[in-house]
Amino acid sequence: MAIAFRRIRKVFDDGTVALDDFDLGFENGEFIVFLGPSGSGKSTACRILAGLETPSKGAVEVDGNDITSLAPRQRGMSMVFQHYALYPHKTVYENIAYPLRVRGENEGEIERAVREVADMLGIADLFRRRPKQLSGGEAQRVAVARALVWKPEICLMDEPLSNLDALLRLQTRAELKRIHRELQKTFVFVTHDQEEAMSLGTRIAVLDRGRLIQFDTPQAIYHRPATRFVAEFIGRPAMNTIDGTIEAGNFRAGELTVPMPDPMPGPAVLGIRPEQIELVDQPGPDVVTMTLDIKEVVEPDTLLTLKRGEVSVVVRTLRQVSGLQTGDDVHVRLPASALHTFASQDGRRLS
Ligand code: ADP
């Protein structure tokens, strides 16, 4: 089953433009992540796919059929929300079984399907409890189980892990990955957490202010971000971006000069990831000497904030730098292969 958003625009009654010219297509069986800051339109896109919102313009297609005016129930999709609502008076078992009961499945089939999904999520020993006897993490898993029990072709999840504490979030994330592999259905997952997106997505749609900025594999988004916004949004600590000018084969920003192999003269933004800046022992022709401003040890890494004039960069290194102190000279190399350039005006990738 192929899913397509065709040039969707969504304007709410108060005039807020939540999505604009949102055009995106993907194949059956993918794990698609909608990633972006709060308010970028991720939930709106997800709700439009589910049929919970109607686009102001454009269409949603499944296998080439326009489903824009189909009711949610007719779409064969299930959805898990951040604020999932379990039926408080039903047991865990009955909560999970509910979608199958609505469809009139027989008791034997219901039991088999409920067990299977509960085993996948490690919640089979909770069957007799009621929602108020569950921890937040357990309740979230029950909500996921209820969404998956009838094996919908498409499962939509809107920030489903955001109520979980950090460790449980990591565990549930790994489980979702495994379940996706086992079920081989399409998952659409909304998050503002770039690490979660990188870990889960077969492809990630990055949104900013209602627009689709980039849609690609996690690797491509990390290695070839389409804009400065994507570059800064993906990866922690964020990619260093430096405003300057390219002239005579160099990028210059204040006292910083970096050779540019493929120069396009004019104002530009230089980008380099903190983990790709190399610490070297000696000054040299392609080496920049900077001053250590802040050192943060985040085992096993160390983060160094270095300055030269007005320019400041963060370096992430695994090297032992216990001898370094604020004010010391630090020699770094910015390898040409690790440099990104973006247009100053609109942030578009230049090379
Ligand atoms: P995200 O999921 O990325 O946080 P949303 O899709 O929820 O973003 O919202 C996108 C924009 O639309 C935001 O500016 C939000 O305030 C606005 N919005 C969402 N729902 C409504 C609504 N029902 N009425 C008016 N504005 C809304």
Side-chain angles (χ1 to χ4, degrees), residues 12-14 16-18 36-45 53 158 190:
F12 284 106
D13 290 343
D14 65 357
T16 306
V17 181
S38 179
S40 55
K42 310 179 295 291
S43 292
T44 303
E53 297 285 357
D158 192 346
V190 170

Side-chain angles (χ1 to χ4, degrees), residues 265-283:
V269 178
L270 181 74
I272 184 162
R273 295 204 177 273
E275 55 275 28
Q276 291 181 322
I277 298 180
E278 294 170 7
L279 295 182
V280 295
D281 296 329
Q282 301 290 333

Side-chain angles (χ1 to χ4, degrees), residues 91-235:
T91 60
V92 164
Y93 182 93
E94 285 303 327
N95 263 285
I96 302 173
Y98 186 74
L100 300 176
R101 294 216 185 280
V102 171
R103 301 168 136 225
E105 303 271 354
N106 71 51
E107 204 58 49
E109 176 53 29
I110 291 178
E111 187 172 348
R112 197 198 56 71
V114 172
R115 280 220 162 268
E116 182 187 325
V117 73
D119 283 341
M120 273 188 196
L121 283 152
I123 50 174
D125 52 346
L126 304 175
F127 276 162
R128 289 157 66 152
R129 296 215 200 150
R130 294 189 197 268
K132 68 171 185 304
Q133 299 168 305
L134 302 174
S135 72
E138 289 164 345
Q140 197 104 43
R141 282 155 193 255
V142 175
V144 172
R146 188 179 55 185
L148 295 176
V149 71
W150 54 285
K151 301 211 165 86
E153 285 305 319
I154 305 176
C155 183
L156 309 174
M157 298 187 226
D158 192 346
E159 303 258 4
L161 308 184
S162 52
N163 290 337
L164 308 185
D165 62 48
L167 183 61
L168 200 55
R169 207 174 158 131
L170 286 181
Q171 286 171 354
T172 314
R173 184 167 102 185
E175 275 159 20
L176 277 183
K177 245 179 125 82
R178 184 168 45 73
I179 289 170
H180 174 253
R181 199 179 56 220
E182 285 172 13
L183 291 181
Q184 300 192 349
K185 303 291 187 192
T186 309
F187 282 23
V188 177
F189 187 99
V190 170
T191 184
H192 62 273
D193 179 333
Q194 55 93 29
E195 190 187 304
E196 204 161 273
M198 297 291 278
S199 131
L200 286 172
T202 50
R203 286 193 286 173
I204 301 174
V206 185
L207 283 83
D208 181 28
R209 287 169 288 174
R211 290 194 167 257
L212 178 66
I213 308 296
Q214 187 167 11
F215 180 50
D216 219 325
T217 62
Q219 293 70 29
I221 283 181
Y222 178 84
H223 292 289
R224 281 190 70 78
T227 67
R228 176 182 191 165
F229 168 80
V230 178
E232 290 175 337
F233 197 69
I234 302 281

Side-chain angles (χ1 to χ4, degrees), residues 17-44:
V17 181
L19 287 176
D20 197 14
D21 211 9
F22 185 78
D23 207 69
L24 176 73
F26 46 88
E27 295 302 319
N28 188 28
E30 285 201 69
F31 199 133
I32 298 297
V33 178
F34 293 167
L35 173 69
S38 179
S40 55
K42 310 179 295 291
S43 292
T44 303

